[in-house]
Amino acid sequence: MELHTILMILLPVAVLGQVDLNALARDTFYKMDVSQDGLVTRIELAGYFNRMDQNGDAKISKHEYTDYITDIYGHSPDLNHYVHTIYDNLDYNNDHHVDQLDYNRNFDRADTNFDDFVDEDEFNRLFMALAQ
């Protein structure tokens, strides 16, 4: 990957030590939307989940989640705060790991028009809620 491409990805997310949540949400959405059609399907979401599940146990630990995000965006206290907050809120049933059930419940929560797709606006609303 060329340096200017890397900078285009990283600069909107971490500006002067602060996290641009809108840029992070947008970047996350496009990483999930493998088909690049502006809609995330359950299959695409499952693929994203599997990329984070480093040990293949069908659960994402907080460590796996944090490693995945910080491998992409680097380490910063502000980013780690949001990563941990989002992880805790993704854990829908509070069992201290995120599994496909948690992801499916959050997909349903995001899919506000019930068309079994999540568009970028729906995703951004959920992402911002998870980051609070």
Side-chain angles (χ1 to χ4, degrees):
M1 186 178 290
E2 295 181 28
L3 179 59
H4 76 280
T5 304
I6 293 168
L7 290 175
M8 295 277 293
I9 293 170
L10 294 180
L11 285 178
V13 175
V15 178
L16 300 175
Q18 296 179 347
V19 177
D20 181 342
L21 287 177
N22 290 314
L24 185 58
R26 184 177 49 253
D27 191 55
T28 302
F29 179 81
Y30 289 115
K31 283 183 182 357
M32 285 187 210
D33 183 18
V34 176
S35 65
Q36 298 182 349
D37 62 357
L39 300 169
V40 172
T41 65
R42 289 181 189 275
I43 292 170
E44 288 171 319
L45 185 63
Y48 188 74
F49 176 92
N50 290 333
R51 288 193 300 272
M52 281 192 269
D53 182 16
Q54 297 168 359
N55 65 3
D57 67 351
K59 300 174 187 172
I60 300 170
S61 68
K62 188 177 276 191
H63 181 76
E64 286 173 315
Y65 187 78
T66 303
D67 278 355
Y68 181 83
I69 300 299
T70 57
D71 282 351
I72 296 169
Y73 302 108
H75 295 273
S76 84
D78 288 338
L79 180 60
N80 286 346
H81 165 75
Y82 286 114
V83 167
H84 292 164
T85 300
I86 291 167
Y87 179 87
D88 291 341
N89 289 324
L90 280 171
D91 183 10
Y92 196 83
N93 56 4
N94 297 311
D95 60 358
H96 305 289
H97 65 265
V98 174
D99 56 22
Q100 198 62 52
L101 177 64
D102 295 311
Y103 260 61
N104 285 335
R105 286 190 174 156
N106 282 291
F107 184 96
D108 291 342
R109 184 176 163 198
D111 182 20
T112 57
N113 64 0
F114 308 107
D115 64 355
D116 214 29
F117 297 99
V118 173
D119 65 31
E120 189 172 357
D121 289 336
E122 289 172 319
F123 179 79
N124 287 344
R125 282 191 296 276
L126 175 65
F127 189 92
M128 294 305 168
L130 293 172
Q132 301 304 315

